Amino acid sequence: MTPVSNILSGWGLWIALVGACLGTYFCRAIGVTLSQRINQDSEIFRWLAAVTYAMVAALTVRLIVMPLGLMSSVPLWVRILICVLSIAVMMSKPTRRLVPALLTGTILMISYGIIR
């Protein structure tokens, strides 16, 4: 190893972390600066919102249908049943039921793991 690489060998991760932070905060600063001139009701933002919701929905379905790790040991019908019950809690009063719906799904999945 060269003397320079000996000096930088312990600093590589720190340099990467500082670079990532600078890049992130630079992009945020640009966003704050430009936010006054952006119309949130424009077609591009409606399209971005649609793409975002579609990606979240696709990832959620993937986690339910093709899970990895411990979730894959739970039968598909149990995962779907827990999802249906959680959605039923959510739909009972959508404006105030997000947290109870999440708790329902979490508690039912943990209960299944304990009972099994």
Side-chain angles (χ1 to χ4, degrees):
M1 286 188 157
T2 63
V4 174
S5 64
N6 284 338
I7 293 171
L8 293 178
S9 65
W11 290 93
L13 292 176
W14 289 106
I15 292 170
L17 178 66
V18 169
C21 289
L22 288 174
T24 299
Y25 288 116
F26 178 72
C27 289
R28 287 184 180 200
I30 290 173
V32 168
T33 304
L34 296 177
S35 67
Q36 303 299 326
R37 294 183 244 164
I38 295 175
N39 180 11
Q40 294 179 354
D41 296 325
S42 67
E43 285 294 319
I44 187 77
F45 278 100
R46 290 173 54 199
W47 178 80
L48 284 171
V51 169
T52 303
Y53 284 124
M55 288 178 64
V56 169
L59 289 172
T60 302
V61 169
R62 188 206 177 282
L63 285 172
I64 294 166
V65 176
M66 299 181 302
L68 299 173
L70 286 175
M71 185 80 87
S72 63
S73 65
V74 178
L76 178 62
W77 69 270
V78 173
R79 295 187 302 247
I80 291 174
L81 178 65
I82 290 172
C83 289
V84 168
L85 293 172
S86 297
I87 290 170
V89 169
M90 179 69 183
M91 296 309 283
S92 66
K93 194 170 186 183
T95 56
R96 293 192 176 152
R97 294 291 182 183
L98 179 61
V99 173
L102 291 171
L103 286 175
T104 299
T106 303
I107 290 170
L108 288 174
M109 192 60 75
I110 290 171
S111 299
Y112 176 82
I114 290 172
I115 291 170
R116 184 172 173 258

